[in-house]
Amino acid sequence: MDDIDAMFSAMLGEMDLLTQSLGEETVPPEALSNTKKEVNYSIGFTDLNESLHELEGNDLDALMADLMADLNATEEKLATEIECLKAPSASQPDFPPPPKGLSIEPAPSHISPSSAGSRSSNVSTPVPSAASSLAPPPPSGAKPTTEEIEAQMKADKIKLALEKLKEAKVKKLVVKVLMNDGSSKTLMVDERQNVREVLDNMFEKSHCDCNVNWSICETNPELQLERAFEDHENLVDPLSAWTRDSENKVLFQERPEKYEVFKNPQNFYLWKKDKTTLRDMKDKDKELLIQENFCGTSIIVPDLEGVLHLREDGKKSWKQRLFQLRASGIYYVPKGKTKSSRDLVCFVQFDNVNVYYGKDFKSKYKAPTDFCFVLKHPQIQKESQYIKYLCCDDIWTMNLWVTGIRIAKYGASLYENFKTAEIKASNSVWTNRSTPSSSNQSTPSPTVKAKSPNQANGHATKPQPGPISQNPAPPPPPPLAEVLPPPPPDPVLPPPPPPMAAKTASKPTPPKRNQPNNFPPPPLDMDNLPPPPPPPPTDDHLEAPPDFLPPPPPATGFNSLPPPPPSFGGVDHSLPPPPPDPVSLPPPPPDPVFVASGAPPPPPPPPPPPPAAPVATLRPAVRTSGSLKKVPPAPPKRTAPTQGGGGGGDFMSELMLAMRKKHADQ
Amino acid sequence: MAAWDLSVTVEDLGLDAPPVTISVASDLHIGGVILKLVEKTQIKQDWSDHALWWEQKQRWLLRTAWTLEKYGIHADAKLVFMPQHKPLRLGLPNGITLRLRVCFSNPVFQTVMGICRMLNIRHPEELSLLRPIEEKKKKKDKNLAPEIYDLTEVPLSSGTLSRPCLYNGMPAHFADSPEMEAIYKMLSVSQPPPAPEVIAKQYRPASVVDKAHINGRYVWLDSSRCLLQQGIQESDKLWLRFKYYATYDMDSKYDAVRLTQLYEQARWAILLEDIDCTEEEMMLFGALQYHISKVAQSEPQIMSNNPAMDDLDSALQSLEVKMEGEGSSASDLLENMTAPELTDYLKIFRPKRLTLKGYKQYWFKFQDTSISYFKSKEESIGEPIQMINLKGCEVAPDVNVAAQKFLIRLLIPAPEGMNEVYLRCENEQQYAQWMAGCRLGSKGKTLADSSFQSEIQSIRSFLAMQKTNSSSSSANASEESINTHSLVSPRYHKKYKPKQLTPRILDAYQNVAQLSLTDALMRFLQIWQALPDFGLAYVVVRFKGSRKDEVLGIAPNRLIRIDLSVGDVVKTWRYNNMKQWNVNWDIRQMAIEFEGNVNIAFSCVTADCKIVHEFIGGYIFMSTRSREKSETLNEELFHKLTGGHEAL
């Protein structure tokens, strides 16, 4: 739930007010209950609804409702506004309350008052200011100055409004991402975001080691399929294809096969060679292979050819066929024909299909082996004759084919993605710990679990000696701590009390208002906040558990969570009590790996300054909101909140509100 | 020293003229011989390009400071005094034949460099000259004779490697006259598709062995020896071709001719089945050819490569964009956000519904990426009967112009599978619009997309194509009526009639219709390069210790041993594992050693082993090129790698 709040606040920087009224504290508990209740953590629409329900009574509902408000209303409002503005003599250009806008307006306004009430007047004030900041030309200026200036301001406002309007058209989804440890994170993803950005987001939230294997995956339990999204893919599109009652889930996982082709290209491009040659391949030869196949004028697809088992349409039998992979698609050799290209029959082309791994097809479809992959249109979610099922003799062949198909389908993007991922990983290594990432890369990537222990060990050794008494194997990598000592910890586990402080602090400092969506102000606040260290820790403890629901004892958990260290180091220094660690412990024993990722505690944000700042900002906002949550009477429930559309909230109306508010204040 | 008589044939006096005899001593240097010779002929002309050719020894006497003695020339030597540059008929990859002056005295490698400099082709090391061994006069000369374009007047530039200065995007010597400009255009713009008969007439290899024998039919000239040494005479015909498929540093800005010629070579390789591809790939190649020829006609200047103009263009463009951005008022923006619509009465049929003959008429509305339909126009304000989102769907045409059948077949993805829907249009116009809309919709674009109109256009032109094909009368009409048989290899001439081919090519065409000329050329080359057999030169060889002939495939990065009877790849060796290779010139055998103590040796059956040697050395040379060095060609290294014993 934290995440939800954070997301919202991030997205609606100007809507601080609203977000503030959301209660974070309340949220955590709910999350807990949520997890307990649900065996499956699915992201489907239903889930969203559920989570929303849980939030009922919170301002979140109001927020959602606002977001969902009909876009048309906004547009009309905007139109009227524009007209008004255009009228030269319009004395009150800024707030000609458009009829429709009004309807929307009430909700937000309510919220703000409520928040004020709960939090004291101080709180309320800051909010408006923040809102106003979004609208660059504050009304106050407009009034006094000449018409010219007014006109200019109007123009600016219109522009801004239009931008906002465009923004409002952007589709957003609230996505629940399942972590390896069984916990989950909730994110808001807008349709312009690609998977890379979402991954970065998850890195920030989970404090994993950011190695290149991390992937966002989709599972389809009904078809028993799963697939890792490519980093350049848009996330909203495929998720929109899910059905209403879908049990599909989104996972955040390490998938070693994701970029294996760039680590060991010989296994794919020279797969016919004997294993020892492949294993002993020199780095420079690997480099050359990548050059040849990915850096030329065209991307070369591995030369794959072999017998695969094909599931007959509608039948239960599997038939063997000789298949060949080409850049243009998969082909097979019809009976009695030669392998010559001209006789090949096209089996499938890749424009409209994605490749998925099949799970447990041996029992589901009586497949010869469990190493199956599937080609289907992303929108197909149920059994259909249009799904193509193929089965390989071993896992190695399966990975060969699936990777080959991805190369054929995505071409150069794949390599670009990898390079970007590598940079991210190395950055994080640089700031954090070097061991983990390197180990991951070097090891072909057995199982995730195996790795995690390794990492932990590595950390343990490296990390500084003494800081954390509780942790037997203190993971904290020194570097990070040194780099960004105080700030990181705070952002991640913003203690409830601090928020208050933050709020107050923010108020006093007016300059921040001007800063728009960048959240620059918050970071500052955060910095200020650090001083009150004592409270945070405790809070963290409280908070953390709820989010992850991991009842496990801190100490044990901690061992498993090596990753967080970096931030910890910093934390430790600043705050003697190593509270943060416990937080990270949450992850249940089963998937230690995830701990790192899942555990929010150690904020090892690779790019220290920027990322940390945003997070921090979000946090404070959330917190305040949490406190407020009780107050607000849940306006219009999220009637609309179908998760899918989710997001098309109208920022316009919010904007208008904010502006009006400002105006009124003045 | 005693003087003796040396007789020299002076070519400029005519072939029948008797040799000129001069009195020389053995210590006279070649320069002196030439001086005496010129004085004796009493002809005043520019003799600077002339040199002495020693016929018996098949060598040029180019070192003017060397004495006759040093060259070992005695009174019995037959010398010819002639120009080093002579005209040659040069067949280009695009089928055009040029007549131009080339160097007969330097190694072919340098001759090619000179040709490429004249034609403005960068990276001449990738090209070489082919000699067609058996040229059947009847077949070609009829057509080709009038098609020779004369470039012999082009002044010879010095041997430096510097790029020729460009004028209007072409080398200055092409800007001299309209005729020359026309020739340059022919070099830099792809040719219209050939008539199907032309394709059908050409030789097509039917198997790997046939391909291997091509290297016997057309012989690559030896790069380290000169033309005259290889028996090439003045006005002989040679082909200029890309030999090493290691295209390097292609930049459409500077490589108009190079790109076009490479495309032409690729196109012919596809059409003549020099390289195998699948039917789907062939259709895509066909679609690209169609698109390229269409665009090349309509925007011939796009390839102009004057950097200054480019800069100006881009500057203007960005300025335009800026102004657009600034100029857009709020209302404009709002307008842009409401997409245009398409509405009409159409008939729909859903095969799944088991309602046979079920074409029912409804009022259709196309909005954003969706089609909705209503009972009638009047009811279109309410809820539609159904709304179909086209995003991600498959669109296929089912059209027969003659029968006035205009169907759009849609495969709409749904969670349960794909739903098949047919839309029936009344006429071409309606069909073109809705088809274009569906195409855009399937890609997630709306009717507001800028490509909507051009999509309509291309659909209509394809319909026109089908019309002319079905009437089959006007074979040579405008470019709109390209016979689809011109776009695919003869195998498909037999398999499909033109009108059956049209929808298939159209189908592939929808994915490329929006490409610019350069992008389309690049796409064609990319798909070509991605074919599994790309870049393979085949030679029949006999491996040491083997008793049967096999085929050796020489690729840009590896050698492949192919079973001759089955065509299967038996073994692959990569150059980067190669430690050394040797040629035993006496027994004409190549021996190659790879890392890990792998040794192979073979003799060549269908080609001289110098050709194989040069291929391998050439590819290794190509891989040594790097960006910093690209401006200066390391000729010495090339010869070292490819020359064999002659070079040493």
Side-chain angles (χ1 to χ4, degrees), chain A residues 321-525:
Chain A
R321 273 221 168 112
L322 181 57
F323 285 92
Q324 193 187 79
L325 175 70
R326 300 170 72 99
S328 59
I330 297 179
Y331 295 78
Y332 65 88
V333 181
K335 267 204 177 134
K337 295 278 193 167
T338 68
K339 286 196 294 182
S340 142
S341 304
R342 42 183 86 147
D343 289 332
L344 293 175
V345 175
C346 188
F347 174 67
V348 67
Q349 295 192 292
F350 304 126
D351 301 333
N352 289 316
V353 300
N354 285 337
V355 60
Y356 300 77
Y357 284 100
K359 292 284 240 192
D360 210 12
F361 274 18
K362 223 161 147 179
S363 58
K364 185 172 169 86
Y365 297 120
K366 301 210 164 111
T369 75
D370 267 336
F371 311 111
C372 299
F373 65 93
V374 156
L375 292 149
K376 73 168 182 73
H377 193 291
Q379 263 166 280
I380 299 179
Q381 300 287 319
K382 319 212 150 137
E383 281 285 357
S384 153
Q385 52 166 331
Y386 295 95
I387 301 180
K388 318 236 184 222
Y389 302 87
L390 289 167
C391 178
C392 310
D393 287 335
D394 48 48
I395 190 168
W396 183 69
T397 314
M398 176 177 70
N399 279 330
L400 212 51
W401 277 88
V402 172
T403 306
I405 292 166
R406 287 168 58 219
I407 294 169
K409 181 172 170 68
Y410 303 110
S413 318
L414 217 53
Y415 189 45
E416 294 300 320
N417 291 346
F418 170 67
K419 286 190 284 191
T420 314
E422 249 195 340
I423 292 171
K424 297 270 178 200
S426 64
N427 284 348
S428 76
V429 171
W430 186 67
T431 40
N432 300 348
R433 55 243 115 157
S434 55
T435 26
S437 66
S438 67
S439 72
N440 288 337
Q441 293 195 346
S442 64
T443 49
S445 65
T447 59
V448 180
K449 291 177 183 178
K451 281 183 186 175
S452 67
N454 293 341
Q455 294 178 2
N457 295 338
H459 289 291
T461 56
K462 279 199 174 180
Q464 309 164 345
I468 304 170
S469 58
Q470 298 178 349
N471 312 333
L480 215 200
E482 292 159 6
V483 180
L484 352 161
D490 302 344
V492 182
L493 343 162
M500 297 296 300
K503 290 281 139 93
T504 55
S506 68
K507 279 186 175 184
T509 52
K512 291 162 190 172
R513 302 172 178 180
N514 298 338
Q515 301 160 346
N517 305 330
N518 303 335
F519 319 106
L524 297 178
D525 298 342

Side-chain angles (χ1 to χ4, degrees), chain A residues 19-20 22-25 119 122-123 126 490-491 493-508 522 525-526 528-530 532-533 535-540 543 615-628:
Chain A
T19 28
Q20 280 178 5
L22 298 175
E24 193 193 41
E25 291 115 17
R119 264 297 144 192
N122 295 341
V123 175
D490 302 344
L493 343 162
M500 297 296 300
K503 290 281 139 93
T504 55
S506 68
K507 279 186 175 184
D525 298 342
M526 287 320 295
N528 302 338
L529 304 179
T538 56
D539 292 326
D540 291 343
E543 286 182 9
V615 177
T617 59
L618 304 180
R619 274 326 143 75
V622 175
R623 229 122 259 149
T624 51
S625 65
S627 62
L628 295 180

